[in-house]
Amino acid sequence: MLVYKFGGTSVGSIVNMNHVKDIIDSEGTKIVVLSAMSGTTNALVEISELIENEKQISAKEKIDLLKEEYNNTVYKLLSNTQIRKEVATYVNAIFNSLRNAVNQPYDQQLHNFIVANGELLSTYMFSRFLQQEGINAQLLPALEFMRIERNNEPDLFYIKQNLNRLIESSEKAEVYITQGFICLDADGEITNLQRGGSDYTATIIGAAIKADEVQIWTDIDGFHNNDPRYVNETSALSNLSYDEAAELAYFGAKILHPLTVLPVRNLDIPLRLKNTMAPDAHGTLITNQIHGEGIKAIAAKDNITAIKIKSVRMLLAHGFLKRVFEVFEKYETAIDMVTTSEIAVSLTIDDTTHLDFIIEELRKFATVAVDDYMSIVCLVGNQIIYHPDTPTLFQVLQDVNVRMIAYGGSNNNISLLVNTNDKMETLQKLQRYIFENEKHLVL
Ligand code: ASP
Ligand code: MG
């Protein structure tokens, strides 16, 4: 079986929904994971924030506005009057429940409930649309099988059992539609896989049913060798290994949720990125095969905070790094980059929730300096440490102020830390040094 995932833009307009219909209207049973229509999750987050800030009237206004948009879509998408009526009733019920949420006490659970509605709306509307178009589609409610454990890892055992049971007990269909992003937590409450989490839903499902392939359909033709928002003339990468794709997804190439690769990597299930607006383009195929050597892609991750920890006592002392890392461990804060010298260690984090406590604890045994508004520029490829072209990238150091370099941690990655203000220039210069001057790099 194949798993397809379509992102917010792919289901964000009637024209695009028709593209999606054409793509999935092919031989073979498939599971189709959908995001919310583009803009909806953002709108729901705003509604949630208005409620949190006790701006009930504005929250209601925003809900009504969003409802009107959905009513319009339903009217235009569905010509079959019976189906249109049923979908309108469903949409109405969802918006009533949102309106009810406005006057409830605000907490994380209420927030999670509010933001879950985007995927509920898109999947119901789209599955009924497919039925109208004569495609045998059934809805598989994600909240009946998708669940995470207390450590936020997917509960694969539970997911496998419940998804298979659900498929067996529902009417046979060519296309099973389900919600991306949303799931239950270990206590059975609604939660989600974080923003962009529909990609992750797709590969978790792929692993649970041992799919032949997982395809992520979005609005760009796969991973590019640099960030198209900042650099002209980037090109799509036709093949990547799981490791390369995981690094790129984690370090900023916005196209994939950072954890997407993990569930399929273990089972060697191919992951393919495709463009809904250009379905004939090759896209990027991600497998365990390594294609070529050298630097293949550059990506950048913003909102990075650098922390420099310095202690004269570190000189010739052991145990200092352990003490430092224990502080981050205690506050469950992941470290992305680390560099050390004899008396200092610099590292970066992107989650600053507990930064104040972390600094306070570090100051008990070291001096601490913090820099924010930093970006990690990450170069990804295979065997890049040994590749003869790699030294050319250091030409960039003459021109931009690189604050930290992580080189040698893995064969797949070199990371540079720069001020976010310098990011665009760094990406553009690297593009020139690495891709535009070199003939024998593998793209
Ligand atoms: N709708 C969710 C979001 O906007 C999940 C997703 O699109 O993947 O983050
Ligand atoms: Mg996405």
Side-chain angles (χ1 to χ4, degrees):
M1 201 161 10
L2 292 184
V3 178
Y4 288 69
K5 177 261 168 174
F6 292 91
T9 337
S10 302
V11 291
S13 69
I14 290 167
V15 175
N16 290 350
M17 282 195 221
N18 275 288
H19 286 149
V20 175
K21 184 202 84 186
D22 293 341
I23 290 164
I24 58 181
D25 192 8
S26 61
E27 286 290 298
T29 318
K30 52 203 71 99
I31 297 186
V32 173
V33 176
L34 298 183
S35 293
M37 293 179 79
S38 54
T40 298
T41 310
N42 284 345
L44 293 170
V45 168
E46 280 169 35
I47 289 164
S48 169
E49 282 167 0
L50 288 170
I51 301 172
E52 182 181 16
N53 296 321
E54 294 177 4
K55 301 210 165 85
Q56 274 83 2
I57 296 176
S58 311
K60 280 190 179 144
E61 280 169 6
K62 200 147 180 74
I63 292 169
D64 292 344
L65 229 83
L66 193 61
K67 182 180 176 187
E68 218 169 287
E69 280 178 33
Y70 272 86
N71 283 342
N72 274 333
T73 310
V74 171
Y75 185 77
K76 291 194 191 128
L77 182 70
L78 302 163
S79 49
N80 177 310
T81 41
Q82 179 58 27
I83 292 180
R84 187 194 281 171
K85 218 170 109 194
E86 283 169 30
V87 177
T89 308
Y90 183 85
V91 169
N92 205 28
I94 292 269
F95 281 95
N96 278 345
S97 73
L98 281 172
R99 269 185 148 257
N100 282 339
V102 171
N103 297 317
Q104 281 164 33
Y106 188 83
D107 59 10
Q108 186 63 37
Q109 238 160 286
L110 191 75
H111 171 83
N112 291 347
F113 161 77
I114 292 169
V115 300
N117 285 293
E119 273 70 15
L120 294 174
L121 284 163
S122 65
T123 48
Y124 189 82
M125 261 171 29
F126 191 69
S127 62
R128 301 295 284 148
F129 166 62
L130 289 184
Q131 287 165 353
Q132 169 184 287
E133 301 301 303
I135 296 172
N136 184 356
Q138 289 297 329
L139 206 53
L140 301 175
L143 297 181
E144 289 184 24
F145 65 88
M146 195 49 98
R147 189 172 170 126
I148 52 174
E149 298 179 87
R150 243 167 254 294
N151 59 6
N152 290 333
E153 295 281 325
D155 186 344
L156 260 189
F157 182 75
Y158 178 98
I159 296 167
K160 250 188 221 167
Q161 272 201 326
N162 287 279
L163 177 57
N164 286 320
R165 185 186 47 72
L166 198 61
I167 294 175
E168 274 158 30
S169 65
S170 72
E171 263 178 61
K172 282 273 152 295
E174 289 161 62
V175 181
Y176 293 98
I177 309 272
T178 191
Q179 297 86 19
F181 180 58
I182 59 175
C183 61
L184 296 180
D185 66 15
D187 298 319
E189 302 289 350
I190 297 180
T191 182
N192 60 62
L193 301 172
Q194 309 295 330
R195 294 304 305 270
S198 300
D199 302 332
Y200 194 27
T201 303
T203 51
I204 295 170
I205 291 178
I209 63 158
K210 296 223 166 57
D212 297 318
E213 182 168 302
V214 177
Q215 300 189 352
I216 309 272
W217 289 77
T218 157
D219 51 6
I220 180 166
D221 46 352
F223 271 119
H224 275 223
N225 64 349
N226 206 327
D227 194 325
R229 290 170 302 179
Y230 307 111
V231 178
N232 294 328
E233 301 192 16
T234 62
S235 48
L237 295 156
S238 50
N239 289 276
L240 284 173
S241 69
Y242 292 122
D243 287 340
E244 291 163 346
E247 299 260 19
L248 274 179
Y250 185 70
F251 284 109
K254 280 272 176 270
I255 156 165
L256 269 193
H257 180 285
L259 299 176
T260 310
V261 176
L262 298 185
V264 284
R265 169 172 39 194
N266 299 339
L267 297 169
D268 215 351
I269 298 170
L271 175 63
R272 202 184 282 273
L273 309 189
K274 294 280 287 176
N275 186 352
T276 307
M277 320 314 153
D280 294 332
H282 179 280
T284 303
L285 177 61
I286 301 160
T287 62
N288 65 4
Q289 299 217 343
I290 294 164
H291 290 255
E293 293 184 352
I295 296 165
K296 296 181 191 165
I298 306 166
K301 182 173 176 178
D302 293 337
N303 298 318
I304 300 294
T305 299
I307 307 169
K308 186 178 258 175
I309 304 147
K310 207 166 158 185
S311 168
V312 275
R313 272 178 289 161
M314 185 174 166
L315 198 63
L316 299 176
H318 57 81
F320 180 75
L321 285 178
K322 177 167 180 267
R323 265 184 100 178
V324 169
F325 289 139
E326 268 169 1
V327 175
F328 290 85
E329 169 70 25
K330 180 172 167 191
Y331 292 99
E332 295 181 352
T333 300
I335 297 169
D336 283 331
M337 273 178 85
V338 187
T339 58
T340 67
S341 77
E342 198 50 63
I343 56 157
V345 46
S346 290
L347 45 81
T348 70
I349 59 172
D350 71 344
D351 174 4
T352 51
T353 321
H354 305 295
L355 184 59
D356 290 345
F357 296 111
I358 289 172
I359 295 171
E360 199 182 306
E361 293 222 10
L362 291 170
R363 288 219 162 114
K364 290 180 189 156
F365 59 93
T367 54
V368 181
V370 176
D371 284 314
D372 45 16
Y373 300 109
M374 310 294 284
S375 296
I376 292 177
V377 173
C378 163
L379 297 106
V380 168
N382 174 46
Q383 295 290 350
I384 51 183
I385 303 299
Y386 306 110
H387 199 274
D389 290 336
T390 299
T392 58
L393 86 92
F394 287 101
Q395 293 173 27
V396 85
L397 304 183
Q398 297 167 9
D399 301 326
V400 280
N401 183 8
V402 175
R403 305 284 298 272
M404 272 170 78
I405 304 177
Y407 178 96
S410 92
N411 268 335
N412 296 111
N413 170 313
I414 296 172
S415 298
L416 312 173
L417 186 75
V418 298
N419 286 318
T420 300
N421 282 339
D422 296 334
K423 176 186 71 176
M424 191 153 100
E425 192 191 345
T426 311
L427 290 174
Q428 289 169 349
K429 289 216 159 108
L430 287 168
Q431 178 80 6
R432 282 212 292 283
Y433 290 135
I434 296 171
F435 298 129
E436 288 171 15
N437 292 338
E438 303 294 336
K439 291 150 254 54
H440 40 284
L441 277 162
V442 198
L443 295 181

